Structures are given as C-alpha cells and as structure tokens.
Amino acid sequence: MTTTVLLTGFEPFGGDAANPSGEAVHRVASRWEGPEVLVSAVLPVTFTGAAGRLRELLADHRPDVVIAAGLAGGRAAIGVERVAVNLVDARIPDNVGQQPVDVPSVPGAAAAHFATLPVKEIARRIAAAGIPAEVSYSAGTFVCNHVFFTALEAAASGTRAGFVHVPWSAEHAPSSDSAALPLADIARALEIAVRTSLAVTADARMPGGTLH
C-alpha cells in the first residue's frame, strides 16, 4: 500500500513579495523521488480558505503524514511546533480582511492538541544537518496555528500531523538585518521533517523544553 504525505505552505501575506514556506514546498515537490506519494499545496493566508482547503486535501488524499509549514518572521531557526491551541486571536487581518478575536478554531473541540509527529527528533536531525532548528511551544494564534489545529482535529485515525515554522528566506527577507535562512536550507529542513516523520514513530527522549 502506497504511503502518502501531504506537505503544505502558504501564499505571500499582505504586501510581501514571497512566502518562504510556499516556495520551499514547491522546491521539495519538484525534486521528490518517492517511493512515497507527496501531495503539495500552497494555502491561502485566510482563516476560512486555509482550513477549508486543508480539509479538502485530507478528504481527497487521505494522507498518512501531514506537515504544514508557515512563515514566522523574526525567528532565526526552523521551529518544529509541538502544540496547537484551539484559539484564533488575530492581531492583524488575514488576506481577505478577516480579523476574528477570541474564537475557537474548531467549536466544541479540545483546548489544545499535541503534534503527532516526532518533533524532537525532527528538530535534532535538522540541526544535525547544519540548519538551526528548535522545538517550539507556541504556533501563535493566527492562520498558522489555525491550520495546525485543524489538521490535528480533522486528520483521520492513523494520520500523523504537525507544523513547521520557517524564518524569512535570505532571498526575500524584508531587510538586510532580518533573521533569515537560505531558501535551500528551508527546503532541506522540510525534506528532513518529511523523511523523519516517515521513518520514526517514537520521538527522541531528550530535553527539549524551555524555561520561559
């Protein structure tokens, strides 16, 4: 039986010229050689559109592994997210002007879900490849977290899901002093995240928490 992976990124947000998460997903897809089937998609930066498109992809492809990626401008490392909260609290509007405040991503669902991917092992292997990486404990309360929570809530039994935040790409950073990584490194990190998720079910037993 063929294993299927769903890998998503996001379109540019606001007036940005590019979104490294979407660009990196395209790069991974263009050189994917299997044997697993890789389904890739770039989601809109809208609360309704992103969640709706994700649910369509889950229903159409029934993936074994789901990895969503998004931009976390200001971060200097790849952030492998561990927990999604059932909360939308938009500090700014999305790409269609929606700005929901203090509403759940999925009404009636649990307050939070943990990623079902080996987050520590993913971060460890990305760092071992020479790319800065860390386990993150907050995916925010904007569209990224909304997609992360929706993926965990909507994924069928047996489907494992998680989220990876990426920095600006060096090629399209908003300024010369913005924290950024080369787009090639961001794409490589996503490839490692996919391969690790396929190869590993039990996460690494090592410290990965934070003090604040």
Side-chain angles (χ1 to χ4, degrees):
M1 189 172 181
T2 304
T3 298
T4 300
V5 178
L6 173 61
L7 179 65
T8 71
F10 282 104
E11 68 183 4
F13 174 66
D16 296 336
N19 187 318
S21 67
E23 290 185 306
V25 164
H26 283 313
R27 284 203 180 195
V28 173
S30 70
R31 61 195 187 203
W32 185 259
E33 296 181 349
E36 305 83 4
V37 172
L38 178 70
V39 177
S40 64
V42 174
L43 305 178
V45 184
T46 68
F47 290 100
T48 301
R53 181 62 181 137
L54 180 66
R55 290 192 178 96
E56 290 175 355
L57 291 163
L58 291 170
D60 290 346
H61 300 284
R62 300 186 181 276
D64 301 279
V65 171
V66 179
I67 299 179
L71 169 65
R75 293 194 191 184
I78 302 293
V80 187
E81 300 294 344
R82 194 168 190 185
V83 59
V85 296
N86 190 12
L87 175 66
V88 174
D89 188 4
R91 182 175 58 83
I92 54 177
D94 66 12
N95 270 359
V96 293
Q98 293 182 335
Q99 191 177 1
V101 173
D102 292 343
V103 297
S105 287
V106 181
H113 287 308
F114 285 107
T116 48
L117 301 181
V119 294
K120 290 184 177 180
E121 184 63 18
I122 290 170
R124 188 190 72 79
R125 293 191 185 191
I126 293 173
I131 303 167
E134 61 190 6
V135 175
S136 170
Y137 292 86
S138 175
T141 56
F142 198 54
V143 181
C144 286
N145 176 77
H146 183 56
V147 163
F148 183 16
F149 189 90
T150 298
L152 290 167
E153 181 69 19
S157 176
T159 299
R160 297 183 297 135
F163 195 96
V164 177
H165 261 127
V166 304
W168 282 109
S169 67
E171 294 84 345
H172 290 106
S175 66
S176 59
D177 59 353
S178 297
L181 290 173
L183 184 60
D185 284 357
I186 294 172
R188 177 63 181 141
L190 293 185
E191 288 176 332
I192 293 170
V194 171
R195 285 295 174 200
T196 304
S197 298
L198 291 168
V200 177
T201 54
D203 205 357
R205 294 285 295 174
M206 63 183 194
T210 61
L211 298 180
H212 54 80

